[in-house]
Every structure is written in structure tokens, then in C-alpha cells.
Amino acid sequence: MGEEVKVFGYWASPYSYRAELALKLKGVSYEYINEDIFGNKSDLLLKYNPVHKKVPILLHNGKSIVESVVILEYIEETWKHNLYLPQDPYDKATARFWIKFIDEKCFPTLWLAAWSPENEREKVTNEACEYMKTLESALNGKKFFGGETIGMVDIVASSVGYFIRVTQEIMGLNLLSADKFPQLFQWSEDFANCSIVKESLPPRDKLLPFVKGLIAKYQQDNAKA
Amino acid sequence: MAEEVVLLDFWPSPFGMRSRIALAEKGIKYEHKEEDLRNKSALLLQMNPVHKKIPVLIHNGKPVCESLIQVQYIDEVWHDKAPLLPSDPYQKATARFWADYVDKKIYEVGGRVWKTKGEKQATAKKELIETLKLLEKELGDKPYFGGESLGYVDVAFIPFYSWFYALEKCGNFSIEAECPKLIAWAKRCMQKESVAKSLPDQQKVYDFILEMKKHFGIE
């Protein structure tokens, strides 16, 4: 059957990465289009995501789906093999809870801790550590949040497990350390070592200078404000 | 089988209202426990240790937190009556998108309307109207966001209608004048027992907002 699957993304975007990883986990072929989100957004991007004008956008047989978590749920429901959400409604609700927690609490505060000015950094860092402790409790001795295999929570947590780890290197921070958060640290290692994850993550040597530049920009904008 | 359903709630919370509506739509009997947010119960702290917030849905002793997650859970468990989410994945994604949009925008922007004054309030009012107009456009000519019957987006959004009067008084403007079709939709929803019984009286909400303003020292 001729399926047309496209992803409009940005190579360094953790959100864009989620959509790609999900399709790879399902073995779905897709065309990837890199958008110049910091320069000139294409007419197609503006057409397919008029409300938020952001990536990622999933285009499936001409219909667009936007917002990374909405995209992940759509992919799960459309390609019903290699499932990454639990079937049981309660377990599903629990997975959704952790996904929301990562996106609303963990990831934003960790990013904030990376570029915050010195005088604000301690407070944000303490908050971020609290959130990481809580997130770690969700692992509860399992290899992945999804159990033996990668689940939707793991896909979303890649933002913390990979992108934030890279960010920390640049800033000389050691938030997600093996001694402070042994389980979470081990999880991030195991996750990044999965072949399907390894082959699809943006390369560190390219990501490092990009994130460095982004942090500098945030700090500059914040200083001006 | 005896099902035990408890909802930890707070009467003016639009988030609590979502779960009330979903449970009512499905005809589920449940115990409603009103929380005093200045003195949170041991049960609330035990059932939602991460956020310590309402609403919390407790089903046979197990907690489900976050209102939209609760609505989806209710829809999945009691799937044989009054479906809230469509079965088609694309339509489902569209519903999730708009519920997410309501979540990201209405509460925060609405909050700024009653919490601020002058320039900041003017900006908040403008943003709120823009947001509501976009939702009005999405509704189009449909009776509900869910189509012919109440759906996920309707449940996510209609609770905020109970706050409209308070926002209008605080901001000195009329939402109906700007978004007549949206108000018509809201009144249509209010015709349904599940909605009417779940939303508090608008005057009561306004009195509550006035109390909050006094408490936070906002004029």
C-alpha cells in the first residue's frame, strides 16, 4: 500500500527527534525534511502548522499532525505493532502522567538550569534535582520506563537522557551524574546504547557547538530583557 | 462488580469540572470529596505526592492524576457509553491537539486577565479574545467540537465558561460580543445535564475571584 509519510523537523530538536524515533521503532519509512527554523520557515511548515508554526510535523497521506506527544500517540494508534504504550488503561494513564511531568517540569527546568545567570542558577538547579529524583522513582528498578523495551516515556525522556546530558557537558554542570542519580544515569546509558537510538540521535560533535550557540543566545536575550 | 470511584476536587477548578463532566456523561456513580486547598487532606497528599493538586481520580484505590489524563482514562475504561474521543486516529489527534491548545492558553491567559491591570490586562484581554476566536473558528458550524455530540475538546474547554462572567467583570469587556458563536456553543453544552451539574454558578465564581484578589493583594 502506498503510504506517504513525511516528517518536517530540525536536526537538533529534541521534539523532532521523538517523532523520528517512534517511526523507526515501528519500522515505518518516511521522508525527512529539515526546516530552517531559526531562519526561514517554509511555506509548507506554515501551511501544516498554522497555529504554532513549529516542528515536528508529521504528514501522513497529506494530513498533518503536530505537537510531539500528539504525534507519538497517533503513530502508536496507526501502526499497531511494536507497541510502546501499555494496553492497560491504568498503566497507560501512568505513562501519560510521566510524559507530562517530563515535558512540564523536568525538561524545562533542566534547560533553564543550563543557561540561567549565576545568581539564579542554584535555585533552578535544586528544583531540577528534585524533579530528576521524582523521575528516577518512576524507573523503579526497571531497565527502561517502558519495562524491558523502550516505551513512550523513554522516547520523551530522550530529551533529558541525551539532549540535556550534552547541554551539561558544555556548561560544565553535573546534574545527571552517576552518583546523584544512579538509576537515571544508567537508564540514559542503556537508552543511548540501543542500536536504533544510537543510529538516529544527532551526533554529539555537531550538537555540542549548536547547543553552545543556543545557550549564548538565550543568555544574551535574557540580559537584554 | 463493585467499583469504587472517588474524585478529590475543588469546586471552582475548571480541571476538576472536566472529570466531573466525563464521569456524568458515562453515568458513573462516584464519591465527590471537596478539598480545602489551604489544608490539603492526607489522602490527597498520598494519592498525588508529585504535584499535591486536584483533581485526583481514585479508581478502586488507584490514583489517576492530571485532568485530561483522567478524561482519557474514564473514556477508555467505560468505553461502552458516550464515547468522548473519536475512534479514528487522525480525528483523535485533532481532538488531542485542540485540548492541548486549551490547556496551554486559556488558564494562563485568563489568569492574567483577572490578576493584572492597565497595560498588562489590556494585552491579556487581547490574547484571550484571539485564542477564543481561533477556537470558535475550529468549532465552525458544528454543534460541538466533537461533532454531533459532546466530545473530548468540549469537555476540556467548557469548564472555563463558568469563569467567563468573572473575567468579563474584572476586565470590563464582553466575550459574547467578540465570540457569539462560542457563547452559543457554551449555552448548548449547558443544556446537557452532565455539564450543568458539573459547572458552578458564574456569580459564585466571580465572588471567589474577588476573594482571591483580596488575598493576593490585587486590586
Side-chain angles (χ1 to χ4, degrees), chain A residues 116-139:
Chain A
S116 277
E118 288 285 348
N119 59 329
E120 291 167 26
R121 195 172 292 166
E122 195 182 335
K123 179 164 176 275
V124 183
T125 302
N126 288 339
E127 211 183 325
C129 283
E130 281 300 314
Y131 293 144
M132 296 234 277
K133 203 160 87 187
T134 304
L135 185 63
E136 194 175 52
S137 74
L139 266 174

Side-chain angles (χ1 to χ4, degrees), chain A residues 17-216:
Chain A
Y17 176 69
R18 293 169 184 184
E20 289 200 83
L21 179 59
L23 289 169
K24 286 189 203 284
L25 285 168
K26 302 272 186 182
V28 176
S29 309
Y30 63 96
E31 184 192 337
Y32 176 75
I33 296 131
N34 196 62
E35 281 284 333
D36 179 18
I37 58 173
F38 294 101
N40 248 338
K41 290 179 179 177
S42 76
D43 288 340
L44 283 180
L45 187 159
L46 300 174
K47 173 184 171 189
Y48 292 129
N49 192 358
V51 175
H52 299 305
K53 305 175 176 52
K54 287 179 171 180
V55 294
I57 299 168
L58 175 72
L59 201 66
H60 184 207
N61 294 332
K63 297 206 221 168
S64 68
I65 301 104
V66 306
E67 292 298 298
S68 65
V69 177
V70 177
I71 290 173
L72 291 180
E73 296 256 13
Y74 176 82
I75 291 171
E76 176 78 343
E77 285 153 12
T78 304
W79 291 280
K80 292 192 195 317
H81 54 271
N82 296 1
L83 295 175
Y84 49 63
L85 260 182
Q87 296 280 279
D88 172 69
Y90 186 77
D91 295 337
K92 211 185 264 199
T94 304
R96 287 178 175 144
F97 175 86
W98 290 116
I99 285 162
K100 195 164 197 251
F101 182 75
I102 292 165
D103 267 356
E104 288 182 2
K105 303 288 184 189
C106 291
F107 191 37
T109 22
L110 281 164
W111 173 243
L112 200 63
W115 66 265
S116 277
E118 288 285 348
N119 59 329
E120 291 167 26
R121 195 172 292 166
E122 195 182 335
K123 179 164 176 275
V124 183
T125 302
N126 288 339
E127 211 183 325
C129 283
E130 281 300 314
Y131 293 144
M132 296 234 277
K133 203 160 87 187
T134 304
L135 185 63
E136 194 175 52
S137 74
L139 266 174
N140 201 21
K142 304 192 298 274
K143 184 174 186 194
F144 298 110
F145 290 99
E148 281 306 301
T149 54
I150 290 174
M152 197 159 133
V153 180
D154 300 275
I155 299 173
V156 171
S158 64
S159 305
V160 171
Y162 183 74
F163 293 84
I164 288 292
R165 273 189 71 176
V166 167
T167 304
Q168 285 188 144
E169 268 188 63
I170 300 161
M171 302 310 287
L173 294 168
N174 200 20
L175 283 176
L176 183 48
S177 67
D179 39 78
K180 268 192 252 157
F181 305 104
Q183 272 198 77
L184 203 58
F185 184 83
Q186 188 57 51
W187 164 81
S188 69
E189 295 277 292
D190 290 336
F191 178 77
N193 277 327
C194 287
S195 56
I196 203 166
V197 171
K198 219 183 340 203
E199 72 194 30
S200 56
L201 281 169
R204 259 181 86 256
D205 56 356
K206 221 182 149 194
L207 199 60
L208 274 165
F210 169 79
V211 177
K212 209 171 182 181
L214 197 65
I215 288 175

Side-chain angles (χ1 to χ4, degrees), chain B residues 62-92:
Chain B
K62 300 204 297 193
V64 178
C65 304
E66 298 298 316
S67 63
L68 289 181
I69 294 176
Q70 287 163 12
V71 174
Q72 286 182 85
Y73 176 82
I74 290 165
D75 203 35
E76 284 157 18
V77 173
W78 291 278
H79 52 82
D80 45 353
K81 187 175 179 203
L84 295 170
L85 273 166
S87 46
D88 171 70
Y90 183 71
Q91 287 177 27
K92 216 186 248 194

